[in-house]
Amino acid sequence: MLYIVAGGPKELMPSLSGIMLKNPNADWVGVDHGAVTLLQAGIVPSVAIGDFDSVTEAEWHQIEEKVPTIKQYQSEKNESDLELALEFVCRQFDSEIVVLGATGGRLDHQFANIMLLCQYAKQREIWFVDHQNEITVISPGDRFFTKNEKKYISFIPLSSS
């Protein structure tokens, strides 16, 4: 399992320490300020990706000191930091991807992130998870779902066909 932590509001994320306890062998990737969020939770991501325009100088030094691989980009670019992260991990990792910190906060970022989910879901199973929601894109066809602790499940078509 691979967890990507983006820079969304921490209060909307599930417990990172809880995820670590359930998945001690998971890989972690920090996206921009998400790398700081991971380090503050005591998790050292294997990769930090982004332009890091939302981190302080002190936070940047912490990332440089602790994270083994850093992919830094210019602030002026066509892709969002999360898009660069998804592009990277889809090439480097074969596992299912769970993205945290991609919902809430700025509505334009959330909308763009959901569009990314649609784009990359053809390559890999990707889930966006926050403190109360799990969202993914599935292809047409028969599916079987196992009951879990969630109360509701919704299906929203992304096209008319």
Side-chain angles (χ1 to χ4, degrees):
M1 182 78 65
L2 171 73
Y3 289 91
I4 297 175
V5 177
K10 284 193 259 185
E11 64 272 9
L12 298 181
M13 288 187 209
S15 165
L16 297 177
S17 58
I19 292 170
M20 272 293 286
L21 287 172
K22 290 179 184 175
N23 300 288
N25 297 320
D27 288 310
W28 293 86
V29 173
V31 179
D32 200 89
H33 200 271
V36 176
T37 300
L38 284 168
L39 292 172
Q40 289 172 343
I43 301 167
V44 178
S46 56
V47 182
I49 298 174
D51 55 24
F52 303 100
D53 63 349
S54 63
V55 302
T56 66
E57 190 173 327
E59 290 168 336
W60 172 245
H61 290 306
Q62 186 181 27
I63 292 168
E64 282 185 310
E65 180 183 305
K66 295 185 177 179
V67 180
T69 303
I70 299 171
K71 303 284 185 184
Q72 185 176 17
Y73 297 87
Q74 296 294 320
S75 294
E76 295 176 7
K77 57 192 180 312
N78 291 328
E79 304 85 0
S80 70
D81 292 335
L82 182 56
E83 183 173 0
L84 292 168
L86 286 169
E87 187 177 297
F88 175 80
V89 300
C90 283
R91 285 193 319 264
Q92 300 295 321
F93 297 89
D94 286 332
S95 57
E96 179 181 337
I97 299 168
V98 174
V99 181
L100 311 169
T103 61
R106 287 180 49 183
L107 191 55
D108 59 331
H109 284 183
Q110 184 170 325
F111 183 72
N113 291 343
I114 290 171
M115 298 304 290
L116 282 175
L117 180 61
C118 296
Q119 178 183 339
Y120 281 89
K122 294 175 186 151
Q123 297 178 31
R124 186 80 48 81
E125 186 171 350
I126 300 174
W127 288 85
F128 283 8
V129 176
D130 66 22
H131 71 294
Q132 78 179 38
N133 303 290
E134 298 177 3
I135 182 174
T136 192
V137 174
I138 57 175
S139 303
D142 293 336
R143 297 287 186 271
F144 298 94
F145 297 92
T146 305
K147 184 166 177 49
N148 64 18
E149 73 280 355
K150 302 293 182 192
K151 185 175 181 180
Y152 299 106
I153 185 170
S154 297
F155 298 94
I156 301 168
L158 296 175
S159 69
S160 58
S161 53

